[in-house]
Amino acid sequence: MPFEVPEGWVWTTVSDISKSILYGVSESAKSEGKYKLLRITDIQDNKVDWETVPFTDFDDNKVSSYILHNGDIVFARTGATVGKSYLIQGLSQKAIYASYLIRIQTFDLILPEYVKLFFESGYYWEQIELSSVGIGQPNVNGTILGYLNIPLPPFAEQKRIVIEIEQWLSLIDQIEQGKDDLHSVIKQTKSKILDLAIHGKLVPQDPNDEPAIELLKRINPGFTPCDNGHSRKFSQSWCSVTVNDVCSIIGGVSYNKADIQDTGIRVLRGGNIQNGKVIDCFDDVFIPLSYQNNDNQVQHGDIIVVASTGSQTLIGKTGFADRDIPKTQIGAFLRIVRPKQKALSPYIRLIFQTDDYKGYIRNVAKGSNINNVKNAHLQNYQIYLPPLEEQQRIVQKIEELFSVLDNIQKALEV
């Protein structure tokens, strides 16, 4: 016995509890036909969307052997999902199953719901791992499946087990849904906090703060604020500017593929921008030191922007350089937004995380296949700048609030 079972239980095999273990049909999927054709790929997260399952035709004289019934269990016998199973339920039309699936039909006093639960157990998966054969493409045939050991309780206890586990699984699903909902609330809360920050509603204003325009005049003595009417919604100490007024936009390095090597200058690409940070990747590209360019070498305070991608979701994604990164430059599909005064960097970084910025970028960068952020798109983006002292209070407040939210999020992942 693999392990002890309660009195009244027996150790048996899948073959001994099954009246049929049968491979599926080798038929092509069609948009129309007499029968639905269930395939491995139609089974996702223990569910089947029968509306999307294709059709097929089959010999009417032979089809009865392959017709699926409620209570049948189908089993993936090959590929990356070998061992995955699905309990047929809620059939509303005739369906058969494809050749990479094996169907199990249990005897009447064997509850298929109990067998399906066994097919989810750790002990079942241990047997599948030990029994799988093949190099690169693991598979389990019908004979091996039939040999698998299964602990079997009396029929009445099978029912009680199924009812008890379904109750627990339902509770777990509710908890998981609650976690998902809370993750969503946390994300929305962060967006709202950022929105309040850039509209001057997160921290109180201090009339003793030096107006932002004085700081801007020191950065650029010829600076002239533009007023399109919106600035009247802000404190007089705030100032309407474009990104170009307070930041430099720096392009990335282009290189020949033939120059790629194992060491040298690391070239950042879109994959290096993750969760608002600049990270190393296992497949990073390196080019010779002859490509050295001090302008697009990543410096502390730089905001790295994904400027070219086929994804509307990823376009404009930003990462913040929290340190100087030696021998690291951005690639041609990225841009550096570099504040002209480093003290501005923490606040401007927040602006580039807001929904307002993301909406602006997705609107201006649309393309038929590739989305592109031009330098002018970044330069012309209008922002409202508070006094430097207020920027610092805003950044500090956001760090405090985000820290609380991050701790909650980490607790959800335990």
Side-chain angles (χ1 to χ4, degrees):
M1 294 189 302
F3 51 84
E4 290 189 12
V5 293
E7 185 177 349
W9 291 44
V10 295
W11 275 103
T12 184
T13 64
V14 171
S15 178
D16 286 338
I17 64 171
S18 303
K19 57 187 176 184
S20 173
I21 299 178
L22 187 65
Y23 291 83
V25 301
S26 300
E27 299 296 319
S28 299
K30 299 179 180 179
S31 58
E32 296 180 353
K34 291 184 179 180
Y35 310 100
K36 286 281 188 175
L37 179 65
L38 182 66
R39 306 158 301 172
I40 291 176
T41 52
D42 296 315
I43 303 169
Q44 299 293 335
D45 299 323
N46 256 330
K47 296 177 183 177
V48 171
D49 181 359
W50 288 100
E51 292 297 320
T52 63
V53 175
F55 292 88
T56 194
D57 292 314
F58 197 69
D59 188 335
D60 290 337
N61 296 318
K62 299 178 181 179
V63 75
S64 61
S65 298
Y66 302 97
I67 290 289
L68 289 170
H69 302 277
N70 289 327
D72 289 354
I73 301 173
V74 290
F75 171 97
R77 66 181 181 88
T78 189
T81 58
V82 64
K84 180 171 72 172
S85 61
Y86 176 69
L87 175 65
I88 304 297
Q89 294 175 311
L91 278 175
S92 60
Q93 54 192 309
K94 290 184 177 180
I96 59 179
Y97 57 104
S99 58
Y100 287 150
L101 291 170
I102 301 175
R103 183 192 60 190
I104 298 170
Q105 292 179 321
T106 61
F107 288 112
D108 292 342
L109 290 180
I110 307 296
L111 203 62
E113 290 83 357
Y114 172 79
V115 178
K116 169 59 178 168
L117 291 176
F118 165 72
F119 283 163
E120 301 289 335
S121 70
Y123 176 61
Y124 161 78
W125 283 108
E126 288 175 14
Q127 293 186 83
I128 289 295
E129 186 175 345
L130 290 172
S131 302
S132 296
V133 296
I135 299 174
Q137 185 81 332
N139 66 86
V140 173
N141 58 40
T143 302
I144 292 174
L145 178 60
Y147 284 153
L148 296 182
N149 296 313
I150 175 172
L152 188 68
F155 185 68
E157 190 169 352
Q158 293 176 39
K159 289 183 177 179
R160 293 196 299 270
I161 289 171
V162 168
I163 291 171
E164 184 73 14
I165 290 182
E166 285 180 348
Q167 290 175 345
W168 281 106
L169 291 178
S170 175
L171 178 60
I172 291 169
D173 287 342
Q174 291 177 38
I175 293 171
E176 290 297 327
Q177 182 60 52
K179 283 185 176 182
D180 291 342
D181 292 344
L182 193 49
H183 279 300
S184 179
V185 168
I186 289 172
K187 183 178 180 180
Q188 293 171 12
T189 302
K190 285 185 173 182
S191 294
K192 183 61 177 177
I193 290 170
L194 289 170
D195 185 64
L196 291 172
I198 65 170
H199 287 89
K201 298 178 181 179
L202 185 65
V203 299
Q205 273 94 41
D206 185 339
N208 296 317
D209 290 342
E210 179 189 59
I213 193 169
E214 299 301 326
L215 171 66
L216 293 165
K217 286 179 178 178
R218 287 198 296 275
I219 295 174
N220 178 8
F223 170 75
T224 303
C226 84
D227 184 357
N228 59 8
H230 291 296
S231 59
R232 287 191 288 273
K233 299 178 182 178
F234 294 84
S235 166
Q236 289 186 348
S237 61
W238 287 49
C239 190
S240 172
V241 298
T242 64
V243 168
N244 192 52
D245 291 324
V246 290
C247 299
S248 300
I249 310 299
I250 301 167
V253 59
S254 296
Y255 54 88
N256 297 319
K257 288 186 177 180
D259 287 339
I260 294 175
Q261 55 189 33
D262 295 331
T263 60
I265 296 171
R266 185 191 304 273
V267 179
L268 298 182
R269 297 169 293 170
N272 295 101
I273 311 304
Q274 298 290 338
N275 299 319
K277 298 179 180 179
V278 179
I279 65 169
D280 295 344
C281 291
F282 73 92
D283 60 347
D284 276 344
V285 167
F286 293 86
I287 55 177
L289 294 175
S290 58
Y291 280 93
Q292 178 72 39
N293 183 326
N294 291 332
D295 284 339
N296 60 34
Q297 177 154 314
V298 180
Q299 301 176 13
H300 179 216
D302 285 351
I303 300 157
I304 316 297
V305 178
V306 176
S308 184
T309 175
S311 169
Q312 269 275 300
T313 303
L314 298 180
I315 190 67
K317 181 174 68 168
T318 61
F320 183 70
D322 58 4
R323 66 195 188 285
D324 289 340
I325 310 179
K327 295 183 180 178
T328 300
Q329 297 175 208
I330 61 167
F333 291 162
L334 303 180
R335 295 291 181 272
I336 290 175
V337 178
R338 181 171 292 161
K340 294 176 180 178
Q341 187 176 100
K342 282 196 180 293
L344 295 173
S345 184
Y347 181 77
I348 293 176
R349 172 195 180 188
L350 298 178
I351 292 175
F352 277 77
Q353 298 175 49
T354 63
D355 289 340
D356 183 84
Y357 160 75
K358 293 172 186 175
Y360 167 80
I361 287 297
R362 288 169 188 165
N363 183 54
V364 299
K366 287 178 182 177
S368 55
N369 294 311
I370 299 295
N371 304 285
N372 289 300
V373 178
K374 298 178 181 178
N375 285 4
H377 293 150
L378 294 171
Q379 291 167 340
N380 295 332
Y381 180 51
Q382 188 175 25
I383 61 177
Y384 295 92
L385 208 63
L388 184 60
E389 293 88 350
E390 187 173 347
Q391 292 179 39
Q392 293 166 350
R393 293 195 298 273
I394 289 171
V395 170
Q396 181 179 359
K397 188 65 175 178
I398 286 180
E399 287 177 350
E400 292 172 1
L401 295 173
F402 278 23
S403 177
V404 173
L405 294 172
D406 288 341
N407 287 336
I408 295 172
Q409 199 151 13
K410 288 177 184 176
L412 293 174
E413 295 167 359
V414 174

